[in-house]
Structures are given as C-alpha cells and as structure tokens.
Amino acid sequence: MMGFFDIFKSKPLEQEREVEQKTESDFSHFEEVTEYLYTRSGITDLGSRRVSISKLKSFSKEENIHTTEEFLSKLQRDSNFYQEVLNIVTVNETYFLREVKELEWLVSLVKESSRDFKILSLPCSSGEEVYSILILLSEQDIDLSRVEIVGYDLNSKMLEDAKKAHYSERSVSNLTPTQKQKYFMQNGDGTYEVVPQLKARARFEQNNIFELQKKNEFDILLSRNMFIYFDEAKRDKATDIIVNLLKEGGYFIKGHADTIYNHPKLEGVRYGVYRRV
Ligand SMILES: C[S@@+](CC[C@H](N)C(=O)[O-])C[C@H]1O[C@@H](n2cnc3c(N)ncnc32)[C@H](O)[C@@H]1O
C-alpha cells in the first residue's frame, strides 16, 4: 500500500515520464533537411555522412528542436541557427603548403610581373592557404604591398580561426624550421601564431560561393578541395560564378581532386590552372 510520503515520491517521476514523452524526437524525413542544405550551400554528400547527421540531431535536441519540421523552419528563419548547422556539416581539413606546386607557380607569376595582383582563396577554411601564399611571396622577397589577398569561406568558425591565425604543429608540418621561426611566434600553448606583418596582409570574409554576384574582380582565384563536395550541377554553377569573379586574363587554380567541366571562357594553362579568356 502506498504510504503518505510515497505520493510525493511518485508524482515527479510520472511528470518526468510525461515530459520525456512530449520531447521524444521524431526526425523522420530528415532528408528534407539535407536537401535544403544542398540547395542553399551545395553540400551534396551529407545524406551519406552518418556522423554528421547524428551530430546535427544531437545539436537540434540541445536547441530543444525535436522534429524535422521544426528543424527546417528554424533553418529558414534563423540565420544564426543556419550558420551553426553549416559549421557542423562543412569539412574543413587544410594545412600549410597543401598542393604546393600550384602555389609556387602563382608566386613565379607575381614575381615575373611588375603589376599588382588581387587574389582570392575560395574556400580558405582556417586560412592556411592564404598565409602559405604570403610566406612563399616573402621567401621570394616580393613586395607584399603589390598583392591584395582575401579568403572567403562558408564556415564562420573557420574564419574566426583564420583571423586569429594560431596553428597546430600538424598544420605547419610542411614548413621548414627556418620558415617556422621566421613567419610564426611560438605561443606558450605550443601553437604557432602567424607574425603580425603577414596577418595584417590577409583579409577574411564569410561568403557562400552560390550567393556571390561580383564580377571582374580578381587576377587569381584559387578554389581547391571544395568542388569535391559538390555534384555536377553545383560544380557547373560554381565554375560559372568563378569565371565571373575573374578579370579577363585572370587565372583559376583548382585542387588536384576537383573536377571541373569544360567552360567556353576557360582555357587550360598547365596542370590545374585555367585562364579566363
Ligand atoms: C576542405 S576545405 C578546403 C580548404 C583549402 N582550399 C584547401 O584546399 O586546403 C573545404 C571548405 O569549403 C567550404 N565550403 C563548402 N561549401 C562552401 C560554399 N558553398 N561556399 C563557400 N565555402 C564553402 C567549407 O566550409 C570548407 O572550409
């Protein structure tokens, strides 16, 4: 038989169960979310990335969102939520001097010319590509004031990291000890921080390639290791946008793993490099 005090013990338990039932999540038709993210940001392989999907679901529960419908509606009306979701699902792997041959070619192009260059790294992730270019230009004693260099990426967290410019041992492992000593300050926590003279030369902006409308703006545009996450339709669209961003005669450098389609306004110059005609 239930004693007097048992009434007080059992009530909260019942209430807890009721709350649990009410907040039980139903993420059926979650492919609607991946479809939405594909349309807006171009990310195609999300549906097959089980870890990213389960991260998204845990994140939404933390945000007190328990159905696909609520998730979608918040994505559409809350830009901060959309940004946090993008920060979870984008793949940001990068490091210094990645695919360095094309970077060396870029530096020789600048060195052989006397004019100024406007360069875009799209996507720049946490900034390693931008600072690698600045390091290689400095190694050739090129006056950095001739070069304006900017990095764009979709992931706001990566851009914060790019601006801080603190890098791990792993990220700088392709640099020589002399380069590390010359272009970084070693912090107490073991990270390498880019020297202020180079930091001051780099600019970073958050942008989704599919929302860019600028035209004839850059002399050199690097787009490496982003096309691999796009399907053919998005790759074609991204190539059109890149062609528009380039000045006539400007250069597009793609990543080794990236596939692009033949474009009437792009002619091959050397492996992985195209010129806008
Ligand atoms: C693997 S990183 C490549 C970084 C660097 N270019 C490299 O080759 O090391 C891919 C980056 O693409 C960015 N990205 C994905 N979709 C994008 C989009 N629609 N617009 C701009 N950046 C995007 C991601 O946020 C991620 O930082």
Side-chain angles (χ1 to χ4, degrees):
M1 223 172 92
M2 206 186 261
F4 178 72
F5 289 107
D6 291 333
I7 297 168
F8 294 100
K9 276 188 207 153
S10 60
K11 261 275 189 256
L13 252 181
E14 270 167 29
Q15 277 166 0
E16 260 173 43
R17 266 193 221 112
E18 216 173 287
V19 172
E20 258 173 38
Q21 267 167 8
K22 269 193 197 143
T23 56
E24 201 172 286
S25 305
D26 174 13
F27 288 121
S28 50
H29 307 293
F30 202 69
E31 65 280 3
E32 286 172 30
V33 169
T34 55
E35 184 61 33
Y36 178 81
L37 291 172
Y38 163 72
T39 310
R40 211 163 148 188
S41 71
I43 296 159
T44 42
D45 62 337
L46 187 57
S48 59
R49 281 198 260 137
R50 268 198 274 151
V51 177
S52 305
I53 295 286
S54 74
K55 271 193 204 160
L56 276 190
K57 289 179 181 170
S58 320
F59 168 68
S60 53
K61 283 182 206 160
E62 277 164 31
E63 296 284 303
N64 210 19
I65 291 175
H66 297 276
T67 67
T68 302
E69 289 67 34
E70 286 174 71
F71 196 112
L72 261 180
S73 133
K74 190 145 174 145
L75 265 186
Q76 284 157 352
R77 64 188 155 75
D78 182 339
S79 56
N80 290 334
F81 181 76
Y82 173 63
Q83 187 57 56
E84 289 200 57
V85 165
L86 289 181
N87 290 356
I88 292 173
V89 301
T90 48
V91 181
N92 313 110
E93 164 73 4
T94 187
Y95 46 88
F96 279 84
L97 304 189
R98 184 177 194 179
E99 300 177 13
V100 72
K101 286 269 171 295
E102 286 73 23
L103 300 185
E104 287 167 348
W105 175 83
L106 178 160
V107 170
S108 66
L109 184 79
V110 177
K111 192 174 183 182
E112 281 157 21
S113 162
S114 53
R115 65 186 181 90
D116 292 354
F117 282 83
K118 198 165 174 189
I119 302 173
L120 173 64
S121 164
L122 166 62
C124 62
S125 187
S126 36
E128 284 87 332
E129 187 167 88
V130 168
Y131 294 119
S132 294
I133 293 170
L134 287 168
I135 288 174
L136 293 177
L137 290 167
S138 306
E139 292 280 272
Q140 294 295 319
D141 292 324
I142 294 168
D143 175 5
L144 295 184
S145 68
R146 285 180 49 213
V147 176
E148 186 183 336
I149 181 158
V150 54
Y152 291 173
D153 202 280
L154 190 59
N155 186 312
S156 59
K157 166 81 182 54
M158 286 303 120
L159 291 165
E160 276 168 33
D161 290 351
K163 286 176 197 162
K164 276 192 211 128
H166 289 209
Y167 296 102
S168 67
E169 181 75 58
R170 187 171 155 262
S171 179
V172 298
S173 64
N174 281 343
L175 295 164
T176 64
T178 317
Q179 286 170 329
K180 287 185 207 167
Q181 210 178 5
K182 200 165 163 195
Y183 301 110
F184 295 84
M185 300 170 295
Q186 196 143 17
N187 289 328
D189 60 1
T191 57
Y192 291 79
E193 179 175 353
V194 175
V195 290
Q197 303 89 288
L198 292 193
K199 258 199 218 181
R201 291 276 159 206
R203 197 159 57 79
F204 297 96
E205 252 182 53
Q206 202 217 350
N207 277 303
N208 176 353
I209 186 170
F210 298 110
E211 288 164 10
L212 288 172
Q213 287 172 5
K214 293 179 188 165
K215 288 197 164 68
N216 303 315
E217 177 109 12
F218 297 96
D219 300 290
I220 304 173
L221 191 157
L222 304 102
S223 187
R224 310 198 299 168
N225 303 299
M226 173 173 70
F227 276 48
I228 42 175
Y229 302 107
F230 296 160
D231 64 4
E232 203 181 330
K234 292 289 182 192
R235 283 203 300 267
D236 289 357
K237 193 156 185 230
T239 310
D240 281 338
I241 291 167
I242 285 171
V243 167
N244 281 338
L245 286 166
L246 280 171
K247 293 178 185 166
E248 205 178 305
Y251 294 94
F252 164 34
I253 304 179
K254 75 168 190 75
H256 295 176
D258 299 319
T259 315
I260 65 153
Y261 77 115
N262 286 332
H263 193 287
K265 285 198 168 167
L266 287 179
E267 66 178 20
V269 173
R270 48 170 280 143
Y271 178 72
V273 182
Y274 302 82
R275 189 167 172 274
R276 188 199 150 167
V277 288

